[in-house]
Amino acid sequence: MSATISQKSVTTLDLAAMKARGEKIAMLTAYDFTSAILAERAGVPVLLVGDSLGMVVHGHGTTLPVTLDDMVRHAAAVVRGAGKALVIADLPFLTYADEAMAVRSAGRLLQEAGVAGVKLEGGASIAPIVRKLVELGVPVMGHIGFTPQSVNQIGLKVQGKAAVDARRMLDDALALQEAGAFAVVIELAPAALAAEITQRLTIPTIGIGAGAGCDGQVQVWHDILGLYGDKPPRHAKQFADVGAVIEGAVKAYADEVRGGTFPTDANSSKIDPAELAQALKGA
Ligand code: KIV
């Protein structure tokens, strides 16, 4: 086997074992090299290069404009920063419309960026695509409930509140599991429904706005750190106000440049004045 696979790297099998042990799984988005290093140091076992980068990094209103090239570029940077963490990347909008396209798209993320698996939005309707990828050796994470790539069809709201929708969500989760997905994200779903789905699945569920009954949780980097917008969404918890810290530091820097107190001699390299005079003589 390849010597580049570290024995200590987190694998999809480890996530299954964590579910079996009742150990909660912390997953976090990461979009660049630096955040991957920080998340790795903090001991986060699963990093998601989410297509939410379209909003929080590129400033779009939805995830729809995100391209496969965007994902490959960001995912490669995250992989370079991550050590042991399992790195999963989203297949962006319309890049897995059929099996052949999904294979090509996932291939780029695994081969060019080096991620360990891909995440696809959808349930039973995309199960054949999931099955094909899994048959070819691509680990797949599902994503049900609120699926941001379908925002123009379903609206930004909690899914699965009506009985028929709740039933469909369970069926979708089961179809993804049956197709070979190694885990499934449940986004914006009633907590009791997500807990029930979690009980019925053998693969781990990762919730976001889906209550504490899931096997794990995923949050967006910018939300937990207070880097984006004034107020985090209801399903998020802001663990620090890093945005304010950055703003303060940037202001202090700009003030010091304006005031002439930065840089000092300590920030500058030196040359012997006589040598300098000699060097510039006649210039
Ligand atoms: O794109 C993303 O960040 C996601 C998570 C919110 C699950 O899909």
Side-chain angles (χ1 to χ4, degrees):
M1 288 300 289
S2 163
T4 59
I5 297 177
S6 154
Q7 289 302 311
K8 292 202 211 112
S9 293
V10 178
T11 68
T12 58
L13 299 178
D14 292 323
L15 303 193
M18 286 169 86
K19 174 169 179 130
R21 289 196 297 269
E23 197 180 314
K24 295 280 188 184
I25 301 163
M27 173 161 127
L28 183 61
T29 66
Y31 311 107
D32 61 24
F33 177 69
T34 312
S35 50
I37 290 177
L38 294 172
E40 178 76 31
R41 279 194 211 145
V44 176
V46 194
L47 295 178
L48 172 68
V49 188
D51 58 0
S52 50
L53 67 83
M55 278 120 69
V56 298
V57 178
H58 293 272
H60 295 297
T62 69
T63 59
L64 305 194
V66 176
T67 66
L68 191 56
D69 283 342
D70 292 334
M71 293 305 299
V72 169
R73 175 65 65 93
H74 283 275
V78 170
V79 168
R80 285 193 288 271
K84 288 176 9 183
L86 181 75
V87 181
I88 305 298
D90 270 329
L91 281 185
F93 185 53
L94 295 184
T95 62
Y96 50 104
D98 59 39
E99 290 177 25
M101 198 191 281
V103 170
R104 277 196 304 277
S105 303
R108 286 199 60 199
L109 282 164
L110 267 77
Q111 295 183 300
E112 289 179 38
V115 302
V118 294
K119 178 164 78 60
L120 278 65
E121 295 184 8
S125 64
I126 62 152
I129 293 172
V130 172
R131 182 170 293 108
K132 173 53 86 181
L133 289 172
V134 173
E135 275 169 10
L136 293 173
V138 178
V140 175
M141 177 178 270
H143 184 156
I144 58 172
F146 173 66
T147 44
Q149 292 172 12
S150 309
V151 66
N152 290 329
Q153 288 172 320
I154 61 178
L156 204 178
K157 61 177 184 337
V158 174
Q159 305 290 311
K161 279 184 153 176
V164 61
D165 296 334
R167 178 60 205 249
R168 191 178 314 121
M169 208 186 293
L170 171 62
D171 290 343
D172 282 340
L174 290 168
L176 291 168
Q177 172 171 278
E178 207 266 319
F182 71 86
V184 58
V185 166
I186 306 178
E187 179 163 358
L188 299 188
L193 172 60
E196 189 62 37
I197 292 173
T198 301
Q199 297 276 309
R200 295 193 191 207
L201 292 189
T202 53
I203 58 172
T205 60
I206 309 288
I208 172 162
C214 294
D215 296 306
Q217 299 292 323
V218 57
Q219 287 282 295
V220 169
W221 179 268
H222 292 60
D223 289 342
I224 68 162
L225 296 177
L227 286 171
Y228 181 68
D230 296 334
K231 202 159 99 80
R234 180 167 172 231
H235 63 259
K237 176 172 172 185
Q238 190 180 312
F239 288 83
D241 197 355
V242 177
V245 173
I246 292 175
E247 199 179 314
V250 171
K251 184 174 180 312
Y253 159 71
D255 285 347
E256 288 202 13
V257 171
R258 277 189 288 265
T261 53
F262 175 84
T264 64
D265 282 353
N267 307 115
S268 313
S269 48
K270 294 171 188 54
I271 183 170
D272 179 62
E275 264 179 48
L276 178 61
Q278 182 62 29
L280 300 182
K281 208 165 146 193

mmCIF file of all heavy atoms in Angstrom, residues 2 5-11 14:
data_model
loop_
_atom_site.group_PDB
_atom_site.id
_atom_site.type_symbol
_atom_site.label_atom_id
_atom_site.label_comp_id
_atom_site.label_asym_id
_atom_site.label_seq_id
_atom_site.Cartn_x
_atom_site.Cartn_y
_atom_site.Cartn_z
ATOM 1 N N SER A 2 0.261 2.373 -0.381
ATOM 2 C CA SER A 2 1.015 3.615 -0.476
ATOM 3 C C SER A 2 1.570 4.046 0.876
ATOM 4 O O SER A 2 0.879 3.997 1.889
ATOM 5 C CB SER A 2 0.080 4.711 -0.994
ATOM 6 O OG SER A 2 0.650 5.960 -0.728
ATOM 7 N N ILE A 5 -0.147 7.196 2.954
ATOM 8 C CA ILE A 5 -1.323 7.171 3.827
ATOM 9 C C ILE A 5 -0.848 6.974 5.261
ATOM 10 O O ILE A 5 -0.290 5.944 5.608
ATOM 11 C CB ILE A 5 -2.294 6.037 3.433
ATOM 12 C CG1 ILE A 5 -2.825 6.284 2.024
ATOM 13 C CG2 ILE A 5 -3.445 5.950 4.423
ATOM 14 C CD1 ILE A 5 -3.737 5.188 1.518
ATOM 15 N N SER A 6 -1.056 8.021 6.077
ATOM 16 C CA SER A 6 -0.642 7.917 7.464
ATOM 17 C C SER A 6 -1.587 6.991 8.203
ATOM 18 O O SER A 6 -2.796 7.057 8.036
ATOM 19 C CB SER A 6 -0.683 9.311 8.100
ATOM 20 O OG SER A 6 -0.870 9.185 9.478
ATOM 21 N N GLN A 7 -1.007 6.123 9.025
ATOM 22 C CA GLN A 7 -1.823 5.218 9.826
ATOM 23 C C GLN A 7 -2.755 5.999 10.734
ATOM 24 O O GLN A 7 -3.774 5.495 11.156
ATOM 25 C CB GLN A 7 -0.919 4.313 10.674
ATOM 26 C CG GLN A 7 -0.167 3.272 9.871
ATOM 27 C CD GLN A 7 -1.103 2.362 9.087
ATOM 28 O OE1 GLN A 7 -2.050 1.841 9.639
ATOM 29 N NE2 GLN A 7 -0.858 2.204 7.807
ATOM 30 N N LYS A 8 -2.351 7.229 11.039
ATOM 31 C CA LYS A 8 -3.129 7.975 12.024
ATOM 32 C C LYS A 8 -4.207 8.843 11.392
ATOM 33 O O LYS A 8 -4.986 9.461 12.092
ATOM 34 C CB LYS A 8 -2.180 8.852 12.852
ATOM 35 C CG LYS A 8 -1.259 8.033 13.736
ATOM 36 C CD LYS A 8 -0.748 8.907 14.889
ATOM 37 C CE LYS A 8 0.634 8.478 15.327
ATOM 38 N NZ LYS A 8 1.656 9.470 15.018
ATOM 39 N N SER A 9 -4.248 8.921 10.059
ATOM 40 C CA SER A 9 -5.266 9.770 9.433
ATOM 41 C C SER A 9 -6.666 9.255 9.764
ATOM 42 O O SER A 9 -6.888 8.056 9.847
ATOM 43 C CB SER A 9 -5.087 9.760 7.916
ATOM 44 O OG SER A 9 -3.888 10.389 7.587
ATOM 45 N N VAL A 10 -7.579 10.191 9.945
ATOM 46 C CA VAL A 10 -8.967 9.810 10.215
ATOM 47 C C VAL A 10 -9.559 9.265 8.918
ATOM 48 O O VAL A 10 -9.356 9.836 7.838
ATOM 49 C CB VAL A 10 -9.771 11.039 10.700
ATOM 50 C CG1 VAL A 10 -11.227 10.659 10.936
ATOM 51 C CG2 VAL A 10 -9.149 11.628 11.961
ATOM 52 N N THR A 11 -10.292 8.167 9.027
ATOM 53 C CA THR A 11 -10.926 7.573 7.848
ATOM 54 C C THR A 11 -12.435 7.528 8.040
ATOM 55 O O THR A 11 -12.939 7.743 9.150
ATOM 56 C CB THR A 11 -10.431 6.125 7.623
ATOM 57 O OG1 THR A 11 -10.925 5.316 8.705
ATOM 58 C CG2 THR A 11 -8.920 6.044 7.572
ATOM 59 N N ASP A 14 -13.345 5.245 10.727
ATOM 60 C CA ASP A 14 -13.261 5.795 12.087
ATOM 61 C C ASP A 14 -14.579 6.472 12.475
ATOM 62 O O ASP A 14 -14.997 6.417 13.633
ATOM 63 C CB ASP A 14 -12.118 6.823 12.188
ATOM 64 C CG ASP A 14 -10.754 6.168 12.055
ATOM 65 O OD1 ASP A 14 -10.591 5.049 12.573
ATOM 66 O OD2 ASP A 14 -9.887 6.761 11.417
#
